[in-house]
Amino acid sequence: MKIIRYENEAGQIEFGAINASGKTFKLDGHIAQSPKVTTTPSYVKKLLAPIQPTAVLCIGLNYRQHAAETGAKVPEFPVLFCKGLNTVQNPNDPIQLPVHLKSNEVDYECELAVVIGKTCKNVSKKDALKYVLGYTCGNDISARDWQKNFGGGQWCRGKFFDTFAPLGPCLVTADEIPNPNTLSIKTILNGQVMQDSNTSDMIFDVPTLIEFLSGSTTLLAGTVILTGTPQGVGMARNPQVWLKPGDSVTVEIEKIGKLTNPVEAEK
Ligand code: MG
């Protein structure tokens, strides 16, 4: 099932299921508990991020060709960092370039976002996908100057600004994507393809990440895992490419869809 979260004409937040002909009908019940599709058409005034996460866990350096382009060694264990809940942004809403705490080096990163559906701990790789509610597109927006030079050697400052985690446009339930490590994944900036890879290039696949992240650690239902980005980031290009006001950036993942956000300066 393809599920969207949206604001209706009365300003209430609802969930809807998109059918094969692209029409959306209201869902009855919680999205984690096999909701029923009603016959009431959805009135989508505004599309929202498909989930309000309980946590946003991110994996760095998880694609072989991206590790190579940044000159980093292939890590022995997954590299974990976090984004705040403040970073979540809706489809079509702007990515805001930090002005007050200035960044001159804001970059895109297309990522497969895994949504955990059931609270879990110490999950084995074999059982890991049973805990996945579904998948969506994510963009791990990164202020490289704060990430690399002014962040005290860790990445959170550069990854934690408001609007730095667009999610969407829909959540595709796990039954429709039995193997999440076979999907083409792209970033398109102003119509130009900047990243073009496949989730099969991940160093640690999705089951391995869930086993690792749940080790001695409770993963709450609603946790979003951003699983890393492939090669082609703006930082590693020659010349380097940074997001600027007026840009439009799209993350596209096979079987999920396109997540597009304009770019503007923080007001
Ligand atoms: Mg990333």
Side-chain angles (χ1 to χ4, degrees):
M1 193 186 290
K2 272 191 172 181
I3 296 173
I4 59 166
R5 184 171 154 264
Y6 60 92
E7 209 178 284
N8 69 13
E9 72 273 39
Q12 294 155 331
I13 293 172
E14 295 178 344
F15 290 91
I18 307 173
N19 72 11
S21 53
K23 293 204 171 76
T24 306
F25 293 90
K26 230 180 105 171
L27 277 179
D28 197 13
H30 192 275
I31 55 164
Q33 289 155 358
S34 311
K36 301 274 173 299
V37 184
T38 68
T39 53
T40 310
S42 296
Y43 181 93
V44 182
K45 192 170 87 181
K46 180 181 174 60
L47 192 61
L48 303 173
I51 175 129
Q52 284 181 298
T54 52
V56 183
L57 306 184
C58 309
I59 304 299
L61 299 172
N62 197 29
Y63 280 74
R64 287 177 187 83
Q65 292 185 62
H66 175 60
E69 77 176 346
T70 60
K73 278 200 311 200
V74 168
E76 185 182 354
F77 298 101
V79 176
L80 170 64
F81 65 95
C82 296
K83 289 175 100 98
L85 303 181
N86 62 301
T87 60
V88 174
Q89 182 58 303
N90 302 314
N92 309 315
D93 278 350
I95 294 160
Q96 292 181 14
L97 306 175
V99 170
H100 189 82
L101 191 59
K102 181 109 181 107
S103 171
N104 294 311
E105 298 184 352
V106 179
D107 205 349
Y108 51 81
E109 292 191 349
C110 58
E111 308 210 359
L112 176 68
V114 178
V115 181
I116 296 295
K118 279 181 268 187
T119 296
C120 58
K121 184 175 179 180
N122 295 328
V123 171
S124 70
K125 206 189 289 193
K126 178 171 67 67
D127 290 333
L129 295 182
K130 294 179 191 161
Y131 294 89
V132 175
L133 175 62
Y135 302 92
T136 188
C137 304
N139 197 341
D140 175 21
I141 301 293
S142 307
R144 301 298 186 196
D145 34 13
W146 288 101
Q147 181 189 354
K148 300 190 73 94
N149 302 326
F150 316 134
Q154 49 76 36
W155 295 355
C156 284
R157 177 62 282 180
K159 303 271 195 175
F160 221 102
F161 292 101
D162 284 355
T163 75
F164 270 29
L167 296 173
C170 60
L171 183 140
V172 178
T173 51
D175 55 304
E176 295 197 9
I177 301 180
N179 182 352
N181 286 101
T182 59
L183 307 172
S184 72
I185 179 166
K186 286 179 191 172
T187 297
I188 301 145
L189 177 63
N190 304 325
Q192 191 185 343
V193 177
M194 308 299 277
Q195 295 182 277
D196 187 358
S197 183
N198 191 288
T199 56
S200 61
D201 191 44
M202 282 187 197
I203 296 165
F204 304 103
D205 65 12
V206 172
T208 304
L209 291 176
I210 292 171
E211 180 179 82
F212 175 79
L213 293 171
S214 71
S216 305
T217 307
T218 300
L219 284 186
L220 296 174
T223 294
V224 169
I225 304 168
L226 294 178
T227 53
T229 201
Q231 76 280 5
V233 296
M235 168 180 70
R237 304 181 80 92
N238 186 13
Q240 291 179 315
V241 174
W242 306 121
L243 297 179
K244 56 185 190 311
D247 282 349
S248 173
V249 55
T250 298
V251 171
E252 182 174 1
I253 302 179
E254 186 181 354
K255 295 187 179 171
I256 300 173
K258 292 181 186 182
L259 166 69
T260 297
N261 297 90
V263 178
E264 66 176 33
E266 177 193 0
K267 298 218 175 65

